[in-house]
Amino acid sequence: MMDFLTLFVIYVIVVLTCIFLVCKYSGQQQTPFSVLFNCLVKVVSPFTPTCLQTFTQWCLHRLFHQRNNMFIYLHILLEGVVYAEFSYEVFGFCRDMDTTLSSLSVPYILLVIKNCFFYLCVKRDPGTVTKKKVAGQLQIYPYDRRLFHPGVSCPTCQLIKPARSKHCRLCDRCVQRFDHHCVWVNNCIGAQNTRYFLLYLCSVCAMAGDMAVLTGDMLLHAVLRSGLLAASYIDEFGQQQPAGFMFVVQHLFLTFPRIIFMLGFLVFVFFLLAGYALFHSYLALVNQTSNEWYKSRGYFCQHCHPTTTADHLCNPAPDHSKRYYYSRGILPNLGEIFFPLKSVQKKDI
Ligand SMILES: *[C@@H]1O[C@H](CO)[C@@H](O)[C@H](O)[C@H]1NC(C)=O
Ligand SMILES: [Zn+2]
Ligand SMILES: [Zn+2]
């Protein structure tokens, strides 16, 4: 069946491209995907002309090493396509199958909620270290002398780095309680917007999960209604064979190709972001930032470059036994995420 195969191949390619895009550029620098990507670049580069290489490098640089709104547009585009498809096809089918209007309106309500958090993530200042505020920001967290050392100043900003801060190369500023730079919101995630980021992740998960359940329910009803499960067909030897599971899948693919695409994408987004949201919730619960998590895992250390020889001991060595070093309990940790500590300007009396 040619039609089915073509559709299926396109489907797999689209889904893999999305997986690749989201994983590589979801804000973490050291994912297995980026390692894979770098290997791929090394293998391919001898066979491509230099001008093409330069151009690709320029594009990649523009996209991923400078602030730009590309991913925000991509985000809006993907969301628009999914919601258009949902409203255009799934909504009608669901109405035919007696799904209540109130459960069909949940995705739209979630969309509004999600976009509020998204907007706050994009627009809120993550906690930039500025000349004016640095004195107060220095007092918020004590230096642990393990990952953060007193008296270190940022060579670019020319300001003393508060504990838990990091310089973001894309935004070219130091950010207090730096977590990571997220290209999807084109902003750093820091002290003042980690809460919105967490809520944003949760609402995207809820959105994708809810739409996937509604769509899956609709497809299930469609299959049951068509009576395909009980159907049979005549094979090449003239024997009657019951239509199996694969037959139903093929039928669905050919009858609702766009809906199947959308469902695949939704399921993928759901699992990816659920994993991501769990990871960030875990970090929030133990009072760590992703930056600190990476550092304490020894992925990169402030003092030694990853390429230095093994006998070079970095001082102090990353201590793996004390991962929860800073945690003072779940509730205080969460409190600090949702009510970030303000810099206390000590007033002279
Ligand atoms: C979180 O960790 C910092 C040190 O990195 C510490 O100063 C702060 O008190 C901790 N907060 C809680 C609620 O444990
Ligand atoms: Zn800086
Ligand atoms: Zn940034």
Side-chain angles (χ1 to χ4, degrees), residues 32-243:
F33 291 94
S34 63
V35 175
L36 197 79
F37 180 77
N38 291 338
C39 289
L40 213 78
V41 167
K42 273 197 195 113
V43 171
V44 173
S45 59
F47 306 108
T48 45
T50 354
C51 58
L52 193 68
Q53 273 182 42
T54 324
F55 178 69
T56 326
Q57 260 163 22
W58 179 81
C59 287
L60 286 176
H61 181 78
R62 275 292 287 138
L63 268 181
F64 305 111
H65 297 286
Q66 278 173 16
R67 273 192 100 181
N68 66 77
N69 285 326
M70 259 310 289
F71 281 89
I72 296 190
Y73 300 143
L74 182 66
H75 181 285
I76 294 170
L77 180 79
L78 284 176
E79 194 173 82
V81 170
V82 168
Y83 268 85
E85 172 60 18
F86 185 82
S87 314
Y88 177 62
E89 285 200 293
V90 182
F91 196 90
F93 280 120
C94 285
R95 281 308 285 158
D96 283 347
M97 297 179 182
D98 300 330
T99 314
T100 56
L101 259 186
S102 51
S103 66
L104 276 177
S105 61
V106 173
Y108 299 96
I109 298 170
L110 285 173
L111 179 69
V112 174
I113 296 175
K114 191 227 80 178
N115 276 333
C116 293
F117 292 135
F118 182 65
Y119 179 81
L120 285 169
C121 267
V122 174
K123 284 291 169 210
R124 258 308 173 96
D125 174 59
T128 310
V129 178
T130 57
K131 214 174 204 161
K132 240 173 89 186
K133 290 194 221 148
V134 68
Q137 283 165 334
L138 281 171
Q139 324 226 308
I140 296 181
Y141 292 113
Y143 290 99
D144 57 352
R145 290 168 198 274
R146 189 171 145 255
L147 298 174
F148 304 100
H149 299 267
V152 180
S153 58
C154 172
T156 317
C157 309
Q158 311 267 317
L159 295 170
I160 297 187
K161 281 184 168 178
R164 311 191 83 183
S165 70
K166 187 175 184 280
H167 183 81
C168 174
R169 266 176 299 158
L170 278 89
C171 308
D172 201 28
R173 61 180 174 197
C174 277
V175 173
Q176 182 210 335
R177 201 185 195 279
F178 180 85
D179 196 278
H180 69 285
H181 180 91
C182 178
V183 289
W184 292 99
V185 299
N186 192 25
N187 200 358
C188 292
I189 306 302
Q192 306 296 329
N193 63 358
T194 304
R195 48 197 159 151
Y196 304 126
F197 184 68
L198 272 179
L199 292 171
Y200 161 69
L201 281 181
C202 294
S203 49
V204 180
C205 280
M207 217 169 87
D210 186 52
M211 285 171 92
V213 167
L214 282 173
T215 311
D217 189 49
M218 179 228 115
L219 288 177
L220 189 72
H221 273 86
V223 169
L224 290 180
R225 236 187 219 194
S226 69
L228 261 183
L229 286 176
S232 58
Y233 66 98
I234 313 283
D235 69 2
E236 62 253 52
F237 306 111
Q239 310 252 296
Q240 237 194 9
Q241 300 277 356

Side-chain angles (χ1 to χ4, degrees), residues 140-142 164 177 287 292 326-329 332-333 336 341:
I140 296 181
Y141 292 113
R164 311 191 83 183
R177 201 185 195 279
N287 187 14
E292 288 159 359
Y326 308 115
S327 176
R328 258 200 269 120
N333 293 345
E336 218 173 270
L341 299 175

